[in-house]
Amino acid sequence: MDRSDLFARYDEELRTDDYADVDASPNGLQVGTDEGTVDHVAFAVDAAVSTIDRAVAVGADALVTHHGLVWGGIDRVTGREFDRMAPLVRNDVSLYVSHLPLDGHQTLGNAAGVADVLGLAEDGREPFGSLGPEHIGQRGHLAEPTSVYDLTAALDDELDTAGRGVRLIDAGPETVEDVAVVTGSGVDWLDEAIDVGADVLVTGEGKQKVFHEAQEAGINVVLAGHYATETFGVQALQAQADEWGLETTYIDEPTGL
């Protein structure tokens, strides 16, 4: 497959251009070229020296990640930036990044993956986590009311938290049904979850102030790990690449955070 064709397919499916004004990460092709062909694609949550080296080692022509290398611009390509970019350029590995578009995609995205694990009814799901005109999460209802402790345990069983475990701020009702999901660092959408009447906000990592805010508002917050909640999107993109006949490799490096 032509590299340009692969990247164009992802750009169209993920609506990459629609997130340009709300995402600090420049999404799409971030390092390298869209010229030539691609036979082998590697997928990882993070673009880091270790994941890039592993992509090179397996002979990948492209690396697709959720977290890229550029956040709002680069002043110099030295030090850490050089160490990460140099192997990509030297080995002709194109880096394709999808940050917020892959959080918010309602079927392939990270929040949709968490919703699948929780068994949220598909016919009642809706976008959640507004950011300008776009959304980066998903909201829905459990098939039947469930103990928030059972919901937390289900995530603990299914997600690879590198031994850190899923944490619960049990500040809301014990029996929950209405669930809001924003993966990664999503506690900034606590107020939106409160406003829509959610029983629980499921996200990745927390902030100190959220404990008190949740207690005061009477809403549960589940912290299931930034990395652990954001593996779903790149794996969904990998499944598409498999269907297109490309060789693929998933590079899993849980951080426990």
Side-chain angles (χ1 to χ4, degrees):
M1 179 184 293
D2 289 342
R3 295 192 198 206
S4 59
D5 185 26
L6 174 66
F7 302 149
R9 290 188 187 191
Y10 281 151
D11 282 341
E12 180 179 4
E13 176 65 44
L14 297 165
R15 298 190 299 110
T16 297
D17 290 344
D18 293 342
Y19 285 80
D21 293 334
V22 299
D23 199 343
S25 170
N27 295 296
L29 179 61
Q30 201 171 92
V31 179
T33 180
D34 64 355
E35 297 179 354
T37 59
V38 55
D39 298 310
H40 189 164
V41 186
F43 297 81
V45 173
D46 301 311
V49 170
S50 58
T51 55
I52 292 168
D53 284 349
R54 288 177 64 182
V56 170
V58 299
D61 305 301
L63 172 63
V64 175
T65 68
H66 178 52
H67 300 130
L69 299 182
V70 182
W71 301 93
I74 295 179
D75 294 325
R76 302 173 188 270
V77 183
T78 59
R80 184 184 299 113
E81 285 73 20
F82 179 82
D83 291 341
R84 290 175 171 178
M85 291 188 184
L88 295 167
V89 176
R90 288 171 180 158
N91 295 280
D92 193 23
V93 178
S94 298
L95 175 66
Y96 181 94
V97 175
S98 187
H99 183 230
L100 296 185
L102 196 54
D103 284 323
H105 196 286
Q106 294 298 293
T107 55
L108 301 177
N110 291 314
V114 173
D116 289 342
V117 169
L118 294 175
L120 300 190
E122 292 187 8
D123 59 355
R125 297 187 191 183
E126 60 186 41
F128 175 81
S130 60
L131 191 62
E134 302 301 332
H135 293 83
I136 59 172
Q138 193 168 94
R139 176 187 172 212
H141 289 78
L142 297 167
E144 58 184 37
T146 302
S147 163
V148 69
Y149 304 109
D150 290 342
L151 180 146
T152 302
L155 288 171
D156 210 11
D157 287 342
E158 292 293 330
L159 302 184
D160 184 356
T161 60
R164 295 291 294 271
V166 175
R167 299 186 64 189
L168 168 66
I169 302 175
D170 53 345
E174 181 175 343
T175 301
V176 298
E177 184 175 7
D178 192 320
V179 181
V181 182
V182 179
T183 60
S185 183
V187 291
D188 288 340
W189 283 267
L190 181 66
D191 284 341
E192 184 176 339
I194 295 166
D195 290 343
V196 300
D199 300 314
V200 55
L201 172 65
V202 177
T203 187
E205 62 183 74
K207 298 178 180 179
Q208 170 71 12
K209 65 176 184 176
V210 171
F211 176 86
H212 299 290
E213 292 173 345
Q215 295 285 345
E216 292 160 5
I219 185 173
N220 299 295
V221 178
V222 174
L223 306 175
H226 195 132
Y227 181 94
T229 58
E230 295 197 331
T231 60
F232 298 96
V234 288
Q235 290 179 340
L237 296 186
Q238 179 184 14
Q240 286 193 325
D242 289 335
E243 293 175 359
W244 298 333
L246 296 169
E247 182 180 357
T248 67
T249 299
Y250 178 60
I251 300 170
D252 189 23
E253 292 199 359
T255 65
L257 300 174

